[in-house]
Amino acid sequence: MIVNKTITSLAILLLLNISASGVRTKLHRRLVETSNDVKGICQLMVETQGYACEEHKVTTEDGYILSLQRIPTGRSNSKKGAKAPVLLQHGLISDASTWLDSPDQSLGFILADNGFDVWLANVRGTSYSSGHTSLTPDSSDYWNWSWDELAIYDLPAFFRYVHDKTGQKLHYVGHSLGTLMALGAFSREEVLNIARSAAMLSPIAYMGQMLSPLARAAADLFIADALYWLGLKKFAPGGGAASKLLKDICTTIDCTSIENAITGPNCCLNSSSSLSKQQPTATKNMIHLAQMIRKGTIEMYDYGNGDDNNKHYGQGTPPAYNMTSIPNDLPLFLGYGGQDLLSDVKDVQTLIDTLSDHDPNKLVLLYREDYAHLDFVHGTNANQVVYDPLMAFFERN
Ligand SMILES: *[C@@H]1O[C@H](CO)[C@@H](O)[C@H](O)[C@H]1NC(C)=O
Ligand SMILES: *[C@@H]1O[C@H](CO)[C@@H](O)[C@H](O)[C@H]1NC(C)=O
Ligand SMILES: *[C@@H]1O[C@H](CO)[C@@H](O)[C@H](O)[C@H]1NC(C)=O
């Protein structure tokens, strides 16, 4: 036990060290990058695979300028007439590249090839969505947000933009934090009038029983809170020299095991390439998630005392997101895995229990015993075992 704890602490220190140095090198890199023309996701990851792609920008009500990409047609370009739009929302410390490993394996391309109009979102803070009407990512005010703002501002901005452009209701696919954003928004009756259906892969709602030893230890030790009070408002797990350092470490030890300690033993990944695609997020967001792990509730960010909560919310405790208020006739698809340490089976079951009044014809549960957190987006067989049933669900709704 003691040995285990020591190893966990060392691993956390390593991660912290990486984030601190990541902040510095990232800043330096930004200065270098802004002098060149920074290539977007379309140019880097979509057009290279032979697909048409459009870059779009949308500004949120609180001033963040976000990018989204559209893949309007598949490779064969056969389907005529209006296509159904699908919005894909990535998870924590990730970006739209989540959906773009390769045409044969990744949902972004597969949906396009199957006649959907594909829209890829990138949340605030990612390098593809780092604009703001008055703030720059170098200021701490830029990083003053948690997933509350992702659910209340970013997600509705993406939904409304795609709806305005296409004139149609949207299908939605979220992975991990992308599911929490949508569940939070839907429970507040946001965007329901323009949502057609929603698929949640590795759903995150309740986190009180989470099994991931690294995530749990970090939450219990108030790691993110400490960073915040140290002045690190930006949480950059894999930036610049940090990712190089990780790659160096990964040549001597098995990096899939670090990833596995966080996400669970992914059965079906092609390589550990997902480590190189990490994006920064707000430290406040990490604190909010740690609060959920400690408390087991789905509430807004807790300012830590009655006075401050009162100032923000007009009540002494943070307002709760009420999962039961998600409409019973909203078509929902939940894909979850038996090996997932972040969306662990017990917490997903709690979510399913809160949906017990949901119309049974509008709720699809897909359980994969062998899947962990990243298999749902990077698994080499996800095409058959997840995306085929997911597209059948879209066709029915
Ligand atoms: C962060 O934003 C909140 C409003 O959401 C505001 O009350 C608070 O003062 C801000 N904190 C900082 C450090 O700017
Ligand atoms: C793994 O990824 C590479 C590069 O994307 C691809 O060529 C290869 O076919 C993949 N392997 C499997 C088993 O899917
Ligand atoms: C949650 O929503 C449901 C359905 O709208 C309602 O019956 C219930 O009272 C709400 N719970 C809370 C704690 O507000």
Side-chain angles (χ1 to χ4, degrees):
M1 271 323 273
I2 290 173
V3 173
N4 257 340
K5 269 199 177 146
T6 311
I7 291 174
T8 307
S9 309
L10 281 176
I12 290 168
L13 282 177
L14 181 70
L15 287 174
L16 287 188
N17 197 4
I18 286 169
S19 26
S21 61
V23 172
R24 281 194 302 275
T25 40
K26 206 70 199 219
L27 280 178
H28 177 249
R29 244 193 27 203
R30 267 181 44 75
L31 291 176
V32 175
E33 275 173 3
T34 44
S35 60
N36 299 320
D37 208 14
V38 184
K39 287 186 178 175
I41 296 243
C42 276
Q43 240 185 314
L44 288 172
M45 285 166 238
V46 183
E47 287 162 7
T48 49
Q49 303 282 3
Y51 290 75
C53 188
E54 303 166 6
E55 293 281 350
H56 292 260
K57 289 232 184 294
V58 58
T59 303
T60 65
E61 277 174 26
D62 59 346
Y64 289 80
I65 301 167
L66 313 177
S67 81
L68 64 172
Q69 292 79 34
R70 179 189 204 176
I71 312 177
T73 50
R75 283 174 296 188
S76 64
N77 203 6
S78 56
K79 186 164 173 176
K80 293 276 179 283
K83 298 176 167 204
V86 186
L87 177 65
L88 303 186
Q89 177 59 64
H90 64 76
L92 186 66
I93 61 172
S94 187
D95 59 42
S97 68
T98 301
W99 314 103
L100 301 171
D101 286 343
S102 75
D104 296 332
Q105 285 177 12
S106 303
L107 191 57
F109 297 119
I110 289 168
L111 285 170
D113 283 339
N114 281 274
F116 291 93
D117 179 8
V118 178
W119 293 79
L120 307 159
N122 301 273
V123 300
R124 64 183 62 189
T126 61
S127 53
Y128 304 108
S129 295
S130 58
H132 189 280
T133 50
S134 65
L135 302 171
T136 73
D138 302 348
S139 73
S140 56
D141 282 350
Y142 176 91
W143 297 99
N144 182 15
W145 49 267
S146 78
W147 67 262
D148 289 333
E149 282 75 17
L150 303 184
I152 294 167
Y153 297 113
D154 288 18
L155 188 99
F158 290 133
F159 260 87
R160 290 189 195 114
Y161 184 87
V162 174
H163 181 254
D164 284 351
K165 289 284 170 193
T166 63
Q168 294 194 68
K169 290 187 172 189
L170 285 68
H171 295 296
Y172 178 85
V173 185
H175 176 240
S176 187
L177 195 73
T179 70
L180 180 58
M181 287 166 60
L183 292 167
F186 295 157
S187 76
R188 294 166 51 96
E189 299 180 18
E190 285 278 3
V191 304
L192 286 170
N193 57 330
I194 52 174
R196 196 159 154 184
S197 77
M200 309 290 180
L201 305 179
S202 296
I204 297 272
Y206 300 93
M207 297 171 80
Q209 306 193 63
M210 170 188 287
L211 300 165
S212 171
L214 269 177
R216 170 135 244 131
D220 289 345
L221 293 170
F222 289 80
I223 295 281
D225 304 62
L227 281 177
Y228 191 78
W229 298 119
L230 283 172
L232 286 172
K233 310 295 187 204
K234 170 181 174 183
F235 186 90
S243 63
K244 182 179 177 313
L245 178 62
L246 249 189
K247 271 189 199 131
D248 290 347
I249 298 168
C250 294
T251 58
T252 52
I253 65 164
D254 180 8
C255 269
T256 52
S257 65
I258 293 182
E259 212 165 34
N260 286 352
I262 299 173
T263 65
N266 297 289
C267 62
C268 305
L269 302 191
N270 187 337
S271 70
S272 58
S273 63
S274 51
L275 268 178
S276 64
K277 291 177 188 159
Q278 297 188 345
Q279 288 279 3
T281 187
T283 305
K284 189 173 176 182
N285 190 28
M286 301 302 284
I287 298 175
H288 192 183
L289 293 167
Q291 290 171 351
M292 294 169 71
I293 297 173
R294 293 198 295 267
K295 295 202 269 188
T297 52
I298 317 180
E299 299 170 349
M300 299 185 87
Y301 182 85
D302 191 344
Y303 284 88
N305 62 70
D307 280 354
D308 285 342
N309 282 329
N310 246 316
K311 221 164 59 195
H312 285 95
Y313 306 123
Q315 58 186 68
T317 54
Y321 291 91
N322 184 353
M323 291 296 123
T324 313
S325 67
I326 294 174
N328 291 334
D329 59 354
L330 176 69
L332 280 180
F333 176 105
L334 302 185
Y336 62 112
Q339 308 303 313
D340 195 333
L341 297 183
L342 292 174
S343 312
D344 63 279
V345 173
K346 280 185 179 167
D347 281 323
V348 174
Q349 190 56 52
T350 305
L351 173 63
I352 294 169
D353 291 345
T354 65
L355 300 173
S356 60
D357 289 337
H358 212 82
D359 179 343
N361 295 318
K362 304 281 183 185
L363 183 61
V364 175
L365 303 180
L366 183 132
Y367 174 69
R368 285 290 302 183
E369 174 64 38
D370 59 338
Y371 262 35
H373 205 65
L374 299 175
D375 289 313
F376 284 94
V377 281
H378 298 298
T380 52
N381 61 350
N383 190 357
Q384 290 84 43
V385 304
V386 182
Y387 307 154
D388 281 349
L390 191 157
M391 286 188 289
F393 162 79
F394 283 162
E395 301 288 357
R396 278 199 307 278
N397 292 288

